[in-house]
């Protein structure tokens, strides 16, 4: 392996190859889940360097994990465990951040490290927006990462991240690395090096773009979401219609670039906060909006009271960091925290995740970060919706809320000010990690977090779970949040120390499967879920030798 590290250093420079445990710890760990071994972490600075590093790793018969800012929640862009049958090399593409707008800004060309936040900022200049708005946009989620994981995000009208225009490398049945150019840009060259160099330098024109029947986004979602009697959920990771080359690949290929659609930005937005203590009221609202509204809302985010309250206490530092530090500094801050954790874990008498515990207690010294009306809403209602509307949908939603929703006993709503809007959406994002933080603080008395990412059938009216005693008797905390119109939910369960989590997970998933639910819904299988057979077949077709991301979806880690 020392010889291979020298080859990597010759390609990218010595400073861009990490081999020491302390230096690689952050990159060997998932954002929320997973940790494992890697012989080296390599940072290419150009697309040609990425190709050369890939070639060296393939020649050495290494297992390869492609990684960007690793914001995924199921450990899919980090190694899992220490039982690989060959050296693992992580290729981190976060420095390859090229971005070019095409076709008058109606499409974008994105490189491996291009983040959704960067794309959003570039599109803002021409009053356009990207296909997806993900919770992890603010901490560096990449465009290609979203495509690879069919990431769903919060938008009600545009579905999963998807494109059929991609340039990627794969290892074929003979074990050879090959470049597959389906990017739809002509005259880039004949060799991989020529194609990648000309692409990165922007040496092509609009006349070189190929426009055919291929899609650069999930164009049918706005129709699927309105089908209230569909026999499968609106969107889920194993949907065979959304598995195509780089889309849904989950790291089984090494993607260099994609072309994705962009969309006209709303001219005006308005956020409404809704609340009720009866989940049946939200069923009525959802079915009315999807069947009767001419203009769908932009987002419709759900939180139960537990989630709001726990996020208020245990996600406060995250909301403050995003608001005051900005998104550009967050990846470096997380890397620094991971290094500190790695060092502190070596001291036997210290609790694990000490930096998280410190941040939790430090946040208590800051004043209340949530506006009073949001806090009162949480006190009054068990179930809350953050309804984000734009343009024509604003008045349509306002009329419905005033004329029909407000007449129902035990419900409420108000229109958010700009400050309340920002706080509500930040709070919804910070809720995603609040359960983890709670468990870290209470690790002495609780098991690791059990988190499920599920897509329910559109006609499933029992969306608010009433779990039997077998599943609740040892439960300390149950959080529920998600994308309500899409019927995609994230459930976080925390159990007392000593609980058999695998048994609890099996029982929970069996109940969901009996109702026609699909899982995972949008976070992809990672190392948490067993992939459905259609996904296993798709991944094996992409990667017949099991070179890339071995073990994903609880499959074999061994070389085929």
């Amino acid at each position: 392996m020392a010889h291979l590290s020298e080859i990597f250093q010759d390609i990218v420079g010595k400073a861009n190859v990490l081999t020491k445990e302390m230096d690689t710890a952050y990159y060997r760990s998932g954002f929320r889940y997973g940790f494992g071994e890697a012989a080296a972490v390599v940072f290419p600075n150009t697309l040609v360097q990425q190709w050369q590093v890939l070639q060296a790793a393939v020649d050495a018969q290494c297992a390869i994990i492609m990684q960007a800012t690793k914001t995924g929640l199921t450990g899919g862009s980090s190694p899992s465990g220490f039982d690989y049958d060959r050296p693992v090399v992580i290729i981190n593409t976060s420095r390859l951040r090229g971005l070019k707008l095409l076709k008058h800004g109606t499409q974008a060309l994105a490189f491996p490290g291009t983040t959704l936040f960067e794309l959003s900022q570039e599109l803002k200049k021409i009053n356009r927006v990207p296909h997806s708005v993900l919770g992890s946009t603010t901490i560096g989620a990449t465009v290609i990462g979203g495509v690879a994981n069919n990431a769903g995000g919060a938008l009600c009208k545009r579905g999963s991240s998807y494109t059929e225009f991609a340039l990627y490398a794969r290892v074929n049945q003979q074990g050879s690395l090959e470049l597959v150019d389906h990017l739809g840009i002509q005259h880039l060259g004949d060799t991989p090096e020529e194609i990648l160099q000309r692409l990165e330098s922007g040496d092509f024109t609009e006349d070189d773009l190929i426009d055919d029947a291929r899609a650069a986004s999930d164009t049918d979602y706005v129709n699927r979401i309105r089908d209230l009697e569909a026999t499968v959920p609106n969107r889920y990771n194993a949907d065979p219609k959304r598995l195509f080359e780089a889309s849904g690949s989950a790291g089984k290929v090494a993607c260099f670039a994609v072309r994705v659609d962009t969309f006209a930005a709303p001219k005006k937005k308005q956020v409404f906060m809704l609340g009720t203590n009866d989940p049946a009221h939200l069923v009525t609202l959802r079915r009315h909006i999807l069947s009767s509204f001419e203009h769908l809302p932009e987002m419709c985010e759900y939180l139960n009271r537990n989630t709001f309250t726990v996020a208020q206490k245990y996600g406060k530092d995250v909301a403050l960091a995003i608001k005051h530090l900005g998104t550009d500094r967050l990846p470096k801050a997380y890397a620094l925290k991971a290094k500190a954790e790695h060092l502190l874990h070596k001291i036997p008498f210290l609790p694990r995740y000490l930096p998280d515990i410190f941040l939790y207690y430090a946040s208590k010294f800051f004043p209340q970060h949530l506006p009073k009306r949001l806090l009162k809403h949480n006190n009054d209602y068990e179930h809350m919706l953050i309804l984000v509307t734009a343009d024509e949908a604003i008045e349509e939603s306002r009329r419905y809320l005033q004329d029909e929703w407000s007449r129902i006993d035990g419900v409420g709503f108000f229109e958010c000010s700009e400050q309340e809007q920002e706080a509500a959406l930040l709070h919804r994002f910070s809720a995603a990690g609040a359960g983890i933080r709670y468990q870290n603080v209470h690790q002495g008395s609780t098991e690791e977090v059990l988190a499920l990412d599920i897509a329910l059938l559109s006609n499933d009216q029992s969306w608010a779970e009433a779990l039997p005693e077998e599943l609740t008797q040892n439960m300390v905390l149950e959080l529920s949040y998600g994308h309500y119109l899409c019927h995609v939910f994230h459930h976080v369960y925390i159990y007392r120390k000593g609980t058999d989590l695998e048994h609890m997970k099996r029982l929970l998933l069996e109940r969901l499967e009996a109702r026609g639910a699909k899982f995972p819904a949008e976070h992809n299988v990672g190392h948490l879920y067993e992939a459905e057979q259609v996904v296993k077949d798709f991944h094996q077709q992409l990667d017949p030798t099991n070179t890339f991301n071995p073990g994903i979806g609880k499959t074999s880690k061994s070389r085929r």
Side-chain angles (χ1 to χ4, degrees), residues 127-281:
N127 293 318
R128 295 189 71 81
V129 292
H131 174 272
S132 297
V133 174
L134 305 178
S136 51
T137 298
T138 51
I139 56 170
T142 61
V143 176
I144 285 180
V147 168
N149 289 309
N150 281 148
L155 294 178
C156 301
K157 296 183 285 189
R158 298 207 282 271
S160 304
S161 302
Y162 179 80
T163 186
E164 295 169 2
F165 292 94
L167 175 66
Y168 61 94
R170 67 187 294 268
V171 174
N172 61 25
Q173 187 73 50
Q174 291 71 43
S176 299
L177 187 71
E178 60 184 21
L179 188 69
V180 179
D181 183 4
H182 290 164
L183 193 58
I185 301 178
Q186 303 180 92
H187 310 129
L188 288 177
D190 299 316
T191 68
E193 289 82 1
E194 286 178 336
I195 292 170
L196 295 169
Q197 194 279 325
R198 291 191 67 181
L199 180 67
E200 192 162 30
S201 64
D203 189 9
F204 60 89
T205 69
E206 292 280 325
D207 293 336
D208 294 320
L209 299 181
I210 298 172
D211 287 312
D212 48 29
R214 286 179 290 167
S217 62
D218 183 2
T219 56
D220 186 50
Y221 189 71
V222 71
N223 298 316
R224 291 203 312 277
I225 195 175
R226 289 185 182 272
D227 185 355
L228 295 171
E229 304 304 326
T231 56
V232 293
N234 297 320
R235 54 177 165 93
Y236 58 100
N237 284 137
D239 185 351
K241 294 180 180 178
R242 252 54 68 182
L243 301 176
F244 185 89
E245 297 185 344
S247 295
S249 60
K252 298 301 283 183
V253 298
C255 197
F256 291 89
V258 293
R259 277 171 61 184
V260 291
D261 285 337
T262 72
F263 300 82
K267 298 179 179 63
K268 185 180 179 182
K269 281 189 178 181
Q270 179 59 55
V271 174
F272 300 89
M273 284 294 299
L274 284 66
T276 180
N277 291 308
D278 185 349
H281 292 155

Side-chain angles (χ1 to χ4, degrees), residues 337-392:
K337 183 168 81 76
K339 282 189 177 182
E341 284 178 351
H342 181 72
L343 287 173
L344 293 168
H345 285 175
K346 293 183 176 182
I347 304 175
F349 58 85
L350 290 180
R352 291 174 62 81
Y353 309 114
L354 194 58
D356 272 330
I357 297 171
F358 169 79
L359 289 170
Y360 163 68
Y361 284 105
S363 70
K364 290 176 174 290
F365 291 98
F366 288 83
Q368 175 58 252
H369 65 298
L370 294 176
K372 291 180 180 179
R373 283 206 296 179
L374 292 183
L375 296 172
K376 183 179 186 305
H377 209 64
N378 181 52
N379 289 332
D380 291 343
Y381 302 110
E382 171 66 24
H383 306 283
M384 284 158 282
L385 288 184
I386 305 171
L387 187 68
V388 183
T389 62
D391 299 336
E392 295 91 343

Side-chain angles (χ1 to χ4, degrees), residues 71-142:
T71 60
L73 302 180
T74 57
S77 57
S78 59
S80 178
F82 297 82
D83 56 346
Y84 292 87
D85 64 343
R86 59 221 137 124
V88 176
V89 172
I90 298 171
I91 301 178
N92 186 287
T93 62
S94 57
R95 298 176 186 175
L96 304 175
R97 301 175 85 157
L99 169 63
K100 185 177 178 64
L101 299 185
L102 309 173
K103 300 172 65 177
H104 307 289
T106 60
Q107 283 190 349
L109 173 71
F111 291 171
T114 305
T115 68
L116 267 171
F117 179 75
E118 290 167 337
L119 177 56
S120 300
Q121 294 300 104
E122 190 66 23
L123 290 173
K124 191 180 291 184
K125 301 173 186 176
I126 58 170
N127 293 318
R128 295 189 71 81
V129 292
H131 174 272
S132 297
V133 174
L134 305 178
S136 51
T137 298
T138 51
I139 56 170
T142 61

Side-chain angles (χ1 to χ4, degrees), residues 311-321 363-364 366-369:
Q312 180 187 347
K313 291 179 62 177
Y314 294 88
K316 183 177 180 179
D317 63 291
V318 174
L320 292 173
S363 70
K364 290 176 174 290
F366 288 83
Q368 175 58 252
H369 65 298

Side-chain angles (χ1 to χ4, degrees), residues 268-329:
K268 185 180 179 182
K269 281 189 178 181
Q270 179 59 55
V271 174
F272 300 89
M273 284 294 299
L274 284 66
T276 180
N277 291 308
D278 185 349
H281 292 155
L282 297 187
V283 174
T284 301
L285 175 138
R286 179 177 180 275
R287 295 184 70 85
H288 179 87
I289 289 176
L290 292 178
S291 63
S292 303
F293 273 31
E294 181 181 357
H295 307 285
L296 289 182
E298 300 295 295
M299 294 190 286
C300 185
E301 294 298 282
Y302 168 76
L303 301 90
N304 69 353
R305 180 182 284 144
N306 272 350
T307 303
F308 189 105
T309 303
V310 170
Q312 180 187 347
K313 291 179 62 177
Y314 294 88
K316 183 177 180 179
D317 63 291
V318 174
L320 292 173
I322 294 172
K323 182 175 182 178
H324 298 295
L325 290 181
T327 57
D328 289 344
R329 295 187 179 96

